[in-house]
Amino acid sequence: MKITIFGTGYVGLVTGACLADVGHEVLCMDVDPEKIDKLRNGIIPIYEPGLESIVNHNVSAGRLLFSTDTQEAVAHGEVQFIAVGTPPDEDGSADLQYVLAVARSIGQYMTGYKVVVDKSTVPVGTADKVAGALRAELDKRGEELDFDVVSNPEFLKEGAAVADFMKPDRIIVGTDSDKAEGILREVYYPFNRNHDRMIFMDVRSAELTKYAANAMLATKISFMNEVSNLAERLGADIESVRRGIGSDPRIGYHFIYPGCGYGGSCFPKDVTALSRTARDCDYEARLLNAVEAVNMAQKHVLFDKVSHYFGGDLEGKTIALWGLAFKPNTDDMREASSRVLMESLWKAGAKVQAYDPEAMKETQRIYGEEPGLQLCGTKEQALKGADALVICTEWKEFRLPDFEVISEALSHPVVFDGRNLYEPEMLERHGLIYYAIGRGRNQFSATGS
Ligand SMILES: NC(=O)c1ccc[n+]([C@@H]2O[C@H](COP(=O)([O-])OP(=O)(O)OC[C@H]3O[C@@H](n4cnc5c(N)ncnc54)[C@H](O)[C@@H]3O)[C@@H](O)[C@H]2O)c1
């Protein structure tokens, strides 16, 4: 099938590459000429495991094209995926300007039937707005062309996006059109061979399903973070509690890791946007608001622990920081907990020596001018001359470091671990003082006290 994807970010590029890989003819369109230029030259603008080879393979096979030309993009596919960003607006609601701009473009240039697929995460009611924007352009042209707008939210995880897309848990499609349903079945047929993963529903339910999924996952994290703060005050170990509750199949082990807060391009903005949607229909989403508030406070916990340890005086201190990306296996820094920590440390007069396996370029782009930041080529270099070590992202290479090297390099042998990577006894054996999240009374920090 001929398919067009608008937006070549984490979702658009993965979607385009994976659809091409199963045999579709895909054109990926982006308004960013630099991105398209890179992609045409075999350079992948983001880090996502497995993506480079799949893109280059399908470009060579002639099934994956890149363009900045809107008219060409609209002409290419009967199926038009919208996978552009939906960042938070000033009031926290999802900013639909990019989605609606694509809808208008499709209306301006289409010459026959199209299925327009909302893959971006968009609030309930957006499909109607997309249809309205598109129809307004057709009206201007005096055309009466047929089209359907379908909701097909994406559930891939950054860091495992290709694998998730290739083997999805479910493919949600919201539509009331039999014709569009048939076309979407054909688009996803190759991903459905083992068993039918497609769940069809009405458009509004599909739109809400995406927000509900992210809000549920964010709730699990904030719940565990709240209990971890309690554990610190009660002298309990959250890691024992985690194992204790995870063994209940009704709870399960997934997504109950305590830490220094969730970040990324989805959970924070989606929880806020859903809460905003609730307010718009005169409903106060108290649980969602609490999930967000707990998370915002949790992002300050590491700073509070560091500050508490140094008696509230961080002026002139140098903090080694391992992990900048909001989670492992990505270079994405959007809403990363490391950013809250670094900004607080700089404000308090401390310097940061940071290392991340993939997010250094992105950090340089965001904080390149910051005098208090030194980006280091290895995790060991980040330790040199530092007073303490803080870990913000659970990259594999941080899981079993040489503790002797850490304790020799730091002027204060202290590790603040925002992801509970280590057993406290292990670090104690190496003469390190260890502060993690929710692991007993000595872990107490000022936040929320
Ligand atoms: N990143 C994730 O893990 C993830 C997972 C599921 C859903 N989503 C949702 O998918 C959507 C896209 O997210 P992302 O992370 O891929 O965003 P992104 O910011 O990485 O990419 C968006 C791309 O769209 C392009 N764009 C903007 N306007 C355009 C236009 N008019 N025509 C063509 N391209 C245009 C931008 O230049 C950019 O390259 C969002 O709604 C997000 O919430 C993201």
Side-chain angles (χ1 to χ4, degrees):
M1 296 175 86
K2 292 187 104 177
I3 296 172
T4 296
I5 318 271
F6 287 92
T8 54
Y10 289 87
V11 169
L13 187 56
V14 170
T15 302
C18 293
L19 290 176
D21 205 48
V22 295
H24 295 303
E25 283 178 49
V26 179
L27 184 146
C28 288
M29 189 273 170
D30 204 290
V31 286
D32 183 345
E34 206 183 308
K35 238 179 208 182
I36 294 298
D37 219 40
K38 279 188 180 161
L39 286 163
R40 281 181 172 154
N41 289 303
I43 301 164
I44 310 299
I46 51 170
Y47 174 72
E48 191 54 58
L51 186 57
E52 186 170 352
S53 65
I54 197 171
V55 168
N56 291 335
H57 171 71
N58 285 286
V59 168
S60 308
R63 283 192 300 266
L64 184 57
L65 306 168
F66 295 103
S67 177
T68 53
D69 184 333
T70 311
Q71 192 167 357
E72 181 192 5
V74 177
H76 177 85
E78 184 181 37
V79 186
Q80 308 260 309
F81 277 90
I82 305 180
V84 299
T86 46
D89 221 336
E90 273 162 22
D91 66 357
S93 57
D95 181 353
L96 291 179
Q97 62 167 309
Y98 307 106
V99 170
L100 296 177
V102 175
R104 284 194 295 274
S105 300
I106 297 170
Q108 275 158 20
Y109 295 118
M110 66 190 267
T111 53
Y113 175 78
K114 302 281 179 193
V115 186
V116 179
V117 185
D118 287 342
K119 189 161 265 310
S120 299
T121 303
V122 288
V124 175
T126 299
D128 294 340
K129 288 186 181 163
V130 165
L134 198 157
R135 193 167 297 113
E137 291 302 324
L138 288 177
D139 288 348
K140 277 189 210 161
R141 291 167 53 200
E143 294 278 6
E144 274 193 26
L145 299 169
D146 201 16
F147 67 89
D148 284 302
V149 179
V150 166
S151 168
N152 171 221
E154 182 50 56
F155 295 93
L156 61 76
K157 301 182 286 294
E158 280 178 29
V162 172
D164 284 348
F165 196 93
M166 288 300 196
K167 280 196 172 121
D169 299 323
R170 75 299 211 190
I171 301 165
I172 304 282
V173 177
T175 180
D176 53 9
S177 152
D178 291 343
K179 184 172 177 180
E181 177 175 333
I183 290 171
L184 266 287
R185 272 204 184 280
E186 197 175 332
V187 168
Y188 285 115
Y189 174 75
F191 304 92
N192 244 342
R193 281 179 55 82
N194 178 269
H195 63 273
D196 190 3
R197 296 175 163 94
M198 298 194 77
I199 303 173
F200 288 91
M201 57 183 75
D202 66 275
V203 177
R204 285 180 167 251
S205 302
E207 289 171 335
L208 185 55
T209 297
K210 173 64 191 175
Y211 281 100
N214 276 358
M216 170 64 102
L217 294 172
T219 302
K220 289 183 92 173
I221 296 174
S222 275
F223 175 83
M224 279 311 275
N225 285 336
E226 184 138 282
V227 179
S228 77
N229 291 328
L230 261 178
E232 288 185 5
R233 286 153 179 82
L234 296 170
D237 181 357
I238 192 68
E239 288 304 318
S240 301
V241 176
R242 181 178 66 76
R243 286 191 294 272
I245 64 170
S247 56
D248 182 336
R250 292 170 304 175
I251 297 173
Y253 289 106
H254 291 297
F255 254 78
I256 55 167
Y257 289 98
C260 51
Y262 61 74
S265 68
C266 293
F267 289 0
K269 82 167 170 60
D270 292 350
V271 172
T272 312
L274 187 54
S275 163
R276 182 72 225 178
T277 298
R279 213 163 291 160
D280 287 346
C281 50
D282 297 325
Y283 182 80
E284 195 60 33
R286 284 167 294 177
L287 184 56
L288 295 179
N289 297 343
V291 166
E292 195 176 12
V294 168
N295 191 56
M296 269 151 65
Q298 198 67 14
K299 285 183 169 179
H300 291 278
V301 158
L302 279 176
F303 174 79
D304 288 344
K305 286 178 192 286
V306 176
S307 176
H308 192 254
Y309 178 81
F310 287 106
D313 181 13
L314 290 171
E315 190 66 47
K317 293 278 183 292
T318 299
I319 306 299
L321 173 58
W322 286 2
L324 293 158
F326 86 92
K327 69 173 183 177
N329 297 322
T330 182
D331 58 352
D332 200 336
M333 292 278 292
R334 287 178 280 188
E335 305 282 336
S337 300
S338 65
R339 296 177 68 161
V340 175
L341 173 68
M342 286 194 291
E343 287 169 20
S344 304
L345 288 169
W346 294 328
K347 229 181 186 171
K351 287 197 163 66
V352 176
Q353 294 181 171
Y355 166 75
D356 186 282
E358 291 298 336
M360 306 280 270
K361 247 201 250 162
E362 186 59 2
T363 310
Q364 175 69 28
R365 189 185 69 76
I366 302 167
Y367 294 117
E369 305 296 308
E370 174 54 54
L373 174 67
Q374 195 192 331
L375 291 169
C376 304
T378 64
K379 62 181 187 297
E380 289 77 18
Q381 271 173 24
L383 298 169
K384 273 193 192 141
D387 293 295
L389 168 64
V390 184
I391 299 168
C392 261
T393 319
E394 65 275 33
W395 283 95
K396 249 195 203 123
E397 69 171 274
F398 302 153
R399 289 198 187 164
L400 199 58
D402 188 331
F403 294 115
E404 295 299 324
V405 169
I406 298 176
S407 93
E408 275 164 31
L410 298 176
S411 69
H412 294 249
V414 57
V415 176
F416 300 91
D417 177 0
R419 300 294 170 188
N420 288 2
L421 294 182
Y422 313 123
E423 281 309 317
E425 303 75 45
M426 199 157 71
L427 272 77
E428 273 161 28
R429 271 203 304 280
H430 292 275
L432 287 161
I433 303 163
Y434 183 54
Y435 290 90
I437 304 289
R439 308 209 67 178
R441 212 179 279 282
N442 71 330
Q443 308 288 320
F444 180 69
S445 71
T447 296
S449 59

